[in-house]
């Protein structure tokens, strides 16, 4: 960084140093994947040392200051020596980063044509020459692009990639890449398994913890450019001046890393905090209240992103309270933020147990008739599947069904239905499975990734949301491997066409080791882990059979309370068979999909077996592709899940002496719990379903340790997040 160094920049350098000084306090996982330790391969280290002799970033914007601090810290740590900041290119090996406007060097290289199509956040990284000296160039149209390019370049070094002939051109395929925090103002976190909320509301705005900067860095490193600070089950207080000032203090920090803040808007806020008698979206007084509220927020936070809204779902207020539509409600808020460039993300997660129909159908039924009626700055946020973040679901039929409306997917990073922060479950395969599902909206090859990145519908407002798994736990996510799900979400939000294998390989090398055996073994475990969890939890298309309330363990016997919150509503086991009939002869949910997809799901013979019980009520003696009966196949799936957790343990044991002991022992202990829990899932579910099938367990099934009543009454006392 040339020119005067602002005092704040020096503070930021210090914070970055503290973030990466994790070895001083042991390997506790705090540094996430941003571990700039000395490169262990001497040959690669020598190659990098010869190729990189200095660096320069010209310009003094807050974002460029962040990029400068990152490059300084990353290069010095990885190369185990101070890599000097220079003022000019007088030798080979200088890393030059900037935009044509901020850097006279970049400006003289005349690369505007190369970066013209990369938008505001894209970048190039390439080896080129300047005044007969070889340089490594990181160039972009904007400061944010320079920051993202800097993180990309450091990632290449962290993963020991060849940089001798580097030539990268990269830009995000999705415009808004955003975390949804389900954090409450009392610092509790709904479905949170990693401690309290990061946001210390009682201390803001005066006290700013270094974790806020570290959080922003981690997000920027994977391209996440937005964060919703508060729970979708919203509290209207966050929209009051007292809290807006607190949010502004966070926004000031996040802005340095290209991250915008968003808030959840409680629809009844005009009544609860504005002294109005109604929140009717067509009432002029209500519309004026929201316009003034938006003006107030933007006066404190000029780059405020907008609102996320959960309305008329699970007791949350909404426009239907006043006989209005979702479009009426969303458009009122959209009009309030539109003059400031803001957006509204309106959740499609709506269902009502008073509607005598399949819960999986309700979002489609409510939103499809509204296609084309939403403002251009409204985007409908749709869960990846039609029920609720299950270990496996078919893709939501709303994707592709609203061609005249902006639609975005919502994935869950926190493992509400997948073992919280206890079970090792890498979620990239789940995300990828959804993103690569063929909707057939425009014929074969209309994969969901193309629907949401705008290439199929020519939408310019595109987004992807992930429900956060981040808390104040020292390792951020509770489980060291849960960090990979935060990382994977960011990478897939940037490019939804990446593969789980690519992402796992990057994360392992950055987080654990570049040792080939470590990479290979951990990658195998990660890539199989989601399927293993499905096997011991909900095989063959079973879903929502978790324990009521906390959703941690099995609860196929849950039958009391609201009908669509019970397990028996979903598995429908009886003496004849098991599964939810969603065919044309049942609830007809299959007809919400495009005809080619409907045809596959509607027929037991063609329905993928991993979705069979989602769409069909199947006889216990139905012959599966393996030749076994459905009952036998189900039993063996559950057993395979348990056995596979034991395999995961053996793979982990094999890398004991190749990684740090502190994190090794942490994961080892968690895998022991996972084996215990997988066994409880197997035994509880099979004993319960056996009361309907009246069939013996096939050969190869471990005998349950207890009678069914034990599992029905089992209480977990040692898992996080359960209250």
């Amino acid at each position: 960084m040339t020119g005067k160094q602002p005092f704040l920049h020096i503070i930021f350098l210090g914070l970055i140093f503290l973030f990466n000084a994790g070895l001083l306090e042991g390997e506790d996982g705090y540094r996430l994947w941003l571990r700039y330790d000395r490169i262990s391969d001497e040959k690669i280290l020598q190659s990098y040392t010869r190729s990189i002799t200095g660096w320069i970033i010209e310009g003094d914007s807050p974002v460029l200051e962040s990029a400068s601090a990152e490059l300084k810290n990353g290069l010095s740590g990885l190369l185990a020596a101070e890599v000097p900041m220079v003022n000019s290119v007088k030798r080979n090996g200088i890393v030059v980063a900037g935009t044509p406007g901020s850097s006279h060097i970049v400006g003289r290289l005349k690369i505007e044509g190369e970066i013209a199509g990369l938008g505001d956040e894209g970048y190039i990284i390439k080896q080129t020459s300047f005044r007969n000296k070889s340089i490594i160039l990181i160039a972009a149209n904007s400061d944010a692009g320079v920051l993202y390019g800097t993180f990309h370049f450091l990632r290449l070094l962290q993963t020991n990639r060849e940089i001798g002939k580097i030539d990268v051109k990269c830009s995000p395929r999705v415009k808004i890449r955003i975390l949804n925090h389900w954090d409450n103002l009392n610092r509790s976190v709904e479905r949170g398994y990693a401690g309290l909320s990061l946001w210390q509301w009682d201390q803001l705005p005066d006290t700013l913890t270094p974790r806020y900067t570290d959080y922003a860095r981690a997000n920027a490193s994977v391209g996440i450019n937005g964060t919703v600070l508060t729970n979708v089950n919203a509290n209207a207080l966050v929209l009051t001046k007292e809290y807006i000032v607190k949010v502004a203090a966070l926004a000031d920090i996040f802005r340095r890393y290209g991250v915008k803040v968003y808030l959840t808007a409680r629809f009844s806020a005009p009544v609860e905090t504005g002294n109005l008698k109604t929140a009717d979206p067509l009432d002029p007084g209500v519309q004026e209240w929201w316009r003034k509220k938006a003006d107030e927020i933007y006066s404190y936070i000029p780059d405020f992103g907008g609102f996320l809204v959960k309305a008329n779902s699970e007791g949350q207020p909404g426009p239907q309270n006043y006989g209005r539509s979702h479009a009426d409600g969303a458009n009122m808020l959209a009009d309030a933020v539109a003059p400031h460039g803001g957006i509204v993300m309106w959740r499609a997660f709506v269902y009502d147990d008073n509607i005598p129909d399949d819960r999986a159908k309700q979002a489609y039924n409510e939103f499809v008739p509204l296609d084309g009626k939403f403002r251009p700055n409204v985007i409908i946020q749709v869960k990846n599947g039609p029920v609720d973040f299950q270990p496996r679901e078919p893709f939501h039929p709303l994707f592709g069904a609203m061609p005249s409306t902006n639609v975005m997917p919502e994935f869950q990073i926190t493992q509400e239905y997948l073992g919280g922060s206890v079970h090792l479950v890498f979620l990239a395969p789940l995300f990828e499975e959804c993103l690569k599902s063929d909707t057939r909206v425009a014929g074969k090859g209309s994969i969901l990734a193309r629907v949401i990145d705008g290439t199929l519908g020519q939408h310019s407002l595109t987004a992807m949301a992930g429900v956060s798994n981040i808390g104040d736990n020292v390792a951020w996510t509770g489980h060291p491997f849960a960090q990979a799900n935060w990382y994977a979400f960011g990478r897939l939000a940037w490019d939804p066409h990446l593969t789980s294998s690519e992402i796992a390989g990057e994360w392992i090398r950055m987080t654990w080791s570049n040792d080939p055996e470590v990479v290979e073994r951990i990658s195998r475990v990660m890539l199989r882990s989601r399927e293993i969890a499905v096997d011991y939890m909900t095989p063959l298309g079973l879903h929502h059979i978790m324990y009521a309330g906390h959703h941690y363990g099995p609860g196929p016997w849950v039958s009391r309370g609201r009908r669509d919150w019970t397990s028996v509503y979903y598995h429908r086991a009886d003496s004849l068979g098991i599964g939810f009939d969603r065919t044309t002869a049942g609830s007809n949910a299959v007809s919400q999909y495009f005809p080619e997809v409907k045809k596959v799901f509607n027929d037991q013979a063609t329905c993928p077996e991993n979705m069979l019980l989602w769409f069909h009520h199947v006889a216990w003696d139905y012959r599966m592709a393996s030749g076994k009966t459905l009952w036998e196949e189900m039993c063996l799936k559950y057993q395979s899940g348990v056995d596979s957790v034991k395999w995961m343990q053996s793979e982990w044991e094999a890398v004991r002496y190749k990684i740090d002991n502190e994190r090794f022992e942490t994961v080892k202990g968690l895998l022991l719990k996972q084996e215990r829990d997988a066994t409880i899932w197997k035994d509880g579910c099979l004993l319960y379903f056996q009361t309907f099938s009246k069939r013996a367990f096939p050969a190869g099934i471990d005998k349950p340790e207890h009678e069914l009543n034990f599992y029905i009454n089992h209480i977990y006392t040692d898992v996080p997040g359960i209250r």
Side-chain angles (χ1 to χ4, degrees), residues 417-430:
Y417 296 96
L418 281 159
S421 60
V422 176
H423 295 202
L424 193 167
V425 183
F426 182 45
L427 296 180
L430 187 159

Side-chain angles (χ1 to χ4, degrees), residues 215-226:
Y215 166 83
R217 281 186 65 231
N219 281 329
S221 74
V222 291
I224 292 171
N225 64 0

Side-chain angles (χ1 to χ4, degrees), residues 14 92 129 146 183 210 221 226 271 310 353 362 395 469 557 598 649 698 710:
N92 293 324
S129 61
V146 175
D183 296 23
S221 74
V271 176
K310 176 180 180 178
D353 66 324
Q362 291 185 37
F395 68 90
N469 63 330
W557 41 78
K598 169 188 172 181
Q649 292 171 333
F710 169 86

Side-chain angles (χ1 to χ4, degrees), residues 392-415:
R392 170 165 281 122
E393 297 189 49
F395 68 90
H396 204 299
L398 272 174
F399 292 113
M402 300 182 71
S404 299
T405 303
N406 302 312
V407 175
M408 63 185 285
E410 176 184 351
F411 292 104
Q412 192 180 64
I413 304 170
T414 190
Q415 297 168 222

Side-chain angles (χ1 to χ4, degrees), residues 22 292 309 314 550 671 709:
K292 288 182 177 179
V309 185
E314 298 183 325
H550 60 64
L671 284 171
N709 204 47

